[in-house]
Amino acid sequence: MSRAPVSRACAAVLRRDLTLAWRRRGDIAMPVLYALIVATLFPFALGPEQALLQRIAGGVVLVTVLLAMLLALDAMFRSDIEDGSLEQLVLAPQPLALMLGMKILAHWLTTALPLIVIAPLLAGMLHLPVPVMGVLLLALALATPMLSLLGAVLVALTAGTRRSGMLLALMLLPLCVPVVIFAAGAVAAAQQGLPWVAPIAWLGAALALTLVLAPLACAAALRIALDA
C-alpha cells in the first residue's frame, strides 16, 4: 500500500468529519456554553473573595472543560454507526487505527479546541493570575487530547449501545482522575511559584503513550462491538 492513498484517505476522513461538524454548529457551541455557565456560577456560589477564587481557579477550569467534553463524547461515532459508514471504514483497505485516529482528531478540534480557546476567559473570571495562564493552557493542550483518545476507546466498546452516556461517564471517570491530578498540580505549583515542569512532563509522556496505543485499542474494540 503506497503512502499517498493512505494520506489521501486520512485527509478525506478528517475533512468529512470537520464538514459534518460545521453543519451541526449548534452541537459545537453546547460544550462552550456549558463551560461558560458553570464557570460564571462559581463566583456567585462562593462569593467575590479574590483569594478563594484564585486558589480554586485552575481546578475549576480543568474540571469544567472535562465535563464539557463529556457532553459530546457519546456522539463521536453515533452518526457513523447510524448511516453505516463505520462498517465501511472497518472494511476499507487502509489501517483502521489510522482512520479512527483522524476521527478522534476531528473530535478534538471541534470539541476541545474551542474550550481551550475560551479557557483564559474562564480563568480570568476566577481571577487566575495572568502568568499562570500559560501553564493552564499547556496543561489543557496535553490533557484534552488524552481524554479524547481514552474516551474514543470507551465509545468504541459501547458502540451500538443505546443511552450509553451514563455508562461512558462512569467508565471514563477513573481514567480522568490521574489526568486532572497532574494538570491541576502543575497549575497549583505555578501559582505558588514552585517548579511545575514535572507534572507537565508526566502528562506529555502519558499523552505520547496514549497516542500510540489508544487508536489500536479503539480499532480492536470497534471490531469486537460491530461483530457482536
Side-chain angles (χ1 to χ4, degrees):
M1 183 184 304
S2 63
R3 185 176 301 178
V6 174
S7 62
R8 284 199 296 268
C10 291
V13 170
L14 182 61
R15 184 169 56 251
R16 171 186 178 273
D17 282 14
L18 292 178
T19 302
L20 291 176
W22 179 250
R23 291 175 181 173
R24 300 190 298 265
R25 292 185 289 274
D27 295 341
I28 300 177
M30 282 301 298
V32 175
L33 293 176
Y34 172 84
L36 286 171
I37 292 171
V38 171
T40 304
L41 290 177
F42 268 91
F44 290 104
L46 300 177
E49 185 181 349
Q50 185 171 344
L52 175 61
L53 294 176
Q54 281 183 349
R55 189 165 64 250
I56 67 171
V60 168
V61 173
L62 288 166
V63 173
T64 300
V65 169
L66 164 65
L67 294 177
M69 289 183 65
L70 286 178
L71 293 177
L73 189 61
D74 186 33
M76 185 180 294
F77 300 138
R78 181 189 301 161
S79 61
D80 299 304
I81 293 175
E82 291 175 352
D83 62 15
S85 59
L86 199 58
E87 286 84 354
Q88 297 298 321
L89 201 64
V90 172
L91 298 174
Q94 289 80 15
L96 179 59
L98 196 57
M99 299 296 102
L100 293 177
M102 293 298 102
K103 298 184 74 64
I104 298 170
L105 175 59
H107 176 268
W108 181 84
L109 290 174
T110 56
T111 302
L113 189 57
L115 293 170
I116 295 176
V117 170
I118 68 165
L121 175 62
L122 304 180
M125 290 191 296
L126 299 173
H127 302 288
L128 185 72
V130 175
V132 187
M133 294 281 190
V135 181
L136 175 64
L137 292 177
L138 181 58
L140 287 172
L142 294 173
T144 52
M146 201 183 317
L147 295 177
S148 292
L149 288 163
L150 294 173
V153 178
L154 300 180
V155 172
L157 285 172
T158 59
T161 304
R162 293 184 177 180
R163 297 179 182 178
S164 59
M166 183 61 68
L167 179 61
L168 284 174
L170 294 175
M171 294 170 64
L172 189 60
L173 179 61
L175 302 176
C176 292
V177 170
V179 180
V180 174
I181 289 175
F182 281 108
V187 176
Q191 283 185 268
Q192 299 171 14
L194 300 175
W196 49 267
V197 177
I200 292 296
W202 278 107
L203 280 177
L207 175 60
L209 185 63
T210 309
L211 194 62
V212 174
L213 297 180
L216 298 174
C218 185
L222 198 57
R223 286 194 176 97
I224 293 173
L226 293 178
D227 290 341

